[in-house]
Amino acid sequence: MTNPSLLILPGDGIGPEVMAEVRKIIDWYGAKRDLAFDVSEGLVGGASYDAHGTPLTDETMEQAQSVDAVLLGAVGGPKYDNLDFSVKPERGLLRLRKEMDLYANLRPAQCFDALADFSSLKKDVVAGLDIMIVRELTSGIYFGEPRGIFEEGNERVGINTQRYTESEIERVARSAFELARRRGNKVCSMEKANVMESGILWREVVQKVHDEEYPDVELSHMYADAGAMQLCRWPKQFDVIVTDNLFGDLLSDAAAMLTGSLGMLPSASLGAPMANGRPKALYEPVHGSAPDIAGQGKANPIACILSFAMALRYSFDMGDEADRLEKAVEKVLADGVRTADLLGEEGVTPVSTSEMGDAIVAALDASV
Ligand code: IPM
Ligand code: MG
């Protein structure tokens, strides 16, 4: 049997330093669990622009299409702010999502007990929180046409288009219902059907998929603005939230902060199954490239490491090994080991990015 293949794209800013810690974890699985991966590495974002004049080369795109899973660090940085829109670092990431057709973006927001005091919300509001945002990732206003900046009379007009087909809504709704069945069996769908036709269609189609295929799952609908308010008021009312590309972008950042730090949260972007039955997949932390702290050993590698745990679970059917890695992270946090984003409490041990990776490897060692 051939080893599962992984393409690693560290990207920009803190991407390479957090990815170096993931490499330690991957190496650990090869050495201690006999789970070897064929790992290749490539460039994306500003790093690719610097080397090739484009945020993603066709060769890297082809490689991403051919591996079992892609693991991405982060893209972007102030150095690239003035580049033409078409070659900005973010375009590389968006091309990967679009061409791999990764329509379901899973963004869990889980509050680790050790960090419950760290949230800006009261402890009882977030302790034990475990929600999953399913964000549609390949359509909506991110990709709709027409788009652009046009001349109109004596001024310019900026245009983007929110557009969803029924089949695009159906497939992401199915992803949400399937996930809910394996969790708390509850889905809340968010749109703005009160002001947008695309929201009216979204609500109708999600309801139809529910009634025809998932009547056993509890479904509710909420306007996205009210959803944002409820997320801050009492987030534990939610299990799975399904929403469009732009609302999902905003709501997932808000949900991430409930848990204390954006440096903690992983994500999985999944598409249709490939010939080998595995879904097309890209895993990445929810956080960005954080150029202000890049290269200083301050970055938290946990979001990227937990993204690899999601790869174990969703691409490689290794749920037990994913549990092992998540427990190792939990143990290290319970021991008071903290990167710079999580300092401020009494009795914690401040560590660098690389020391955090080492601590998680040590916790993995203790688990076998
Ligand atoms: C995210 C990011 C991206 C997005 C950017 C980097 C293009 O904010 O993954 O949430 O807007 O989707
Ligand atoms: Mg975002």
Side-chain angles (χ1 to χ4, degrees):
M1 235 179 63
T2 55
N3 295 331
S5 54
L6 274 177
L7 171 63
I8 291 193
L9 303 173
D12 307 323
I14 60 171
E17 23 186 324
V18 295
M19 200 58 88
E21 303 314 305
V22 178
R23 290 300 283 256
K24 291 181 187 166
I25 308 290
I26 295 173
D27 291 346
W28 183 88
Y29 275 97
K32 302 290 170 69
R33 302 298 299 157
D34 210 13
L35 296 172
F37 293 89
D38 285 339
V39 181
S40 49
E41 204 167 310
L43 298 174
V44 69
S48 174
Y49 178 81
D50 288 339
H52 304 295
T54 166
L56 189 75
T57 62
D58 292 342
E59 293 73 40
T60 306
M61 187 65 239
E62 267 168 44
Q63 224 181 335
Q65 295 281 19
S66 71
V67 291
D68 292 318
V70 179
L71 213 55
L72 186 139
V75 294
K79 184 178 161 195
Y80 308 106
D81 278 353
N82 296 323
L83 286 185
D84 186 69
F85 185 74
S86 64
V87 290
K88 276 194 187 298
E90 290 78 4
R91 303 310 304 168
L93 174 58
L94 293 169
R95 181 177 174 200
L96 281 165
R97 290 174 178 173
K98 186 69 178 173
E99 290 192 22
M100 292 172 76
D101 202 16
L102 305 170
Y103 58 86
N105 180 217
L106 279 46
R107 299 193 160 185
Q110 234 175 323
C111 184
F112 287 86
D113 284 345
L115 300 183
D117 275 323
F118 208 83
S119 173
S120 52
L121 294 175
K122 292 196 184 81
K123 186 169 180 169
D124 68 313
V125 176
V126 295
L129 180 74
D130 178 8
I131 61 185
M132 176 73 87
I133 296 188
V134 180
R135 167 189 176 193
E136 198 292 323
L137 201 61
T138 50
S139 185
I141 202 161
Y142 271 58
F143 297 99
E145 301 279 347
R147 65 183 298 163
I149 300 174
F150 304 97
E151 303 284 338
E152 200 176 273
N154 56 4
E155 63 174 352
R156 292 176 306 156
V157 51
I159 297 181
N160 289 92
T161 301
Q162 166 84 334
R163 178 180 192 279
Y164 271 107
T165 64
E166 289 182 293
S167 52
E168 285 169 343
I169 303 168
E170 276 166 15
R171 62 184 189 171
V172 74
R174 280 193 195 101
S175 303
F177 289 125
E178 290 290 339
L179 272 167
R181 277 187 178 158
R182 286 183 267 139
R183 299 171 40 97
N185 213 38
K186 235 166 55 171
V187 171
C188 181
S189 170
M190 297 187 187
E191 29 53 24
K192 277 188 62 82
N194 50 346
V195 287
M196 296 163 76
E197 284 80 359
S198 60
I200 297 177
L201 186 70
W202 182 281
R203 186 177 285 222
E204 266 178 38
V205 172
V206 171
Q207 186 67 49
K208 175 169 141 284
V209 171
H210 169 268
D211 296 350
E212 290 175 1
E213 300 170 45
Y214 301 92
D216 53 301
V217 180
E218 190 184 316
L219 171 65
S220 59
H221 303 274
M222 222 179 249
Y223 297 140
D225 53 345
M229 183 268 283
Q230 291 295 342
L231 261 179
C232 302
R233 191 186 71 85
W234 190 244
K236 283 187 257 183
Q237 70 187 281
F238 298 113
D239 176 27
V240 174
I241 293 173
V242 64
T243 189
D244 75 16
N245 205 341
L246 183 60
F247 293 143
D249 184 40
L250 306 181
L251 292 168
S252 64
D253 264 31
M257 236 13 239
L258 301 175
T259 70
S261 169
L262 208 48
M264 296 292 302
L265 292 194
S267 82
S269 304
L270 306 177
M274 302 183 279
N276 61 13
R278 291 175 173 142
K280 274 260 165 74
L282 180 146
Y283 300 87
E284 58 178 318
V286 170
H287 64 66
S289 61
D292 51 322
I293 59 162
Q296 301 169 33
K298 287 185 182 167
N300 185 347
I302 290 180
C304 205
I305 288 172
L306 290 177
S307 299
F308 177 65
M310 290 188 90
L312 291 173
R313 190 181 306 284
Y314 294 106
S315 280
F316 304 121
D317 237 354
M318 296 174 188
D320 292 349
E321 296 300 341
D323 287 346
R324 177 195 303 283
L325 181 49
E326 286 165 5
K327 287 212 181 80
V329 168
E330 217 174 311
K331 163 84 172 49
V332 164
L333 291 172
D335 289 347
V337 180
R338 300 280 189 275
T339 40
D341 52 322
L342 296 171
L343 298 179
E345 291 164 275
E346 303 278 302
V348 301
T349 316
V351 298
S352 66
T353 307
S354 139
E355 287 166 332
M356 178 59 94
D358 294 341
I360 294 169
V361 167
L364 283 172
D365 270 333
S367 77
V368 293

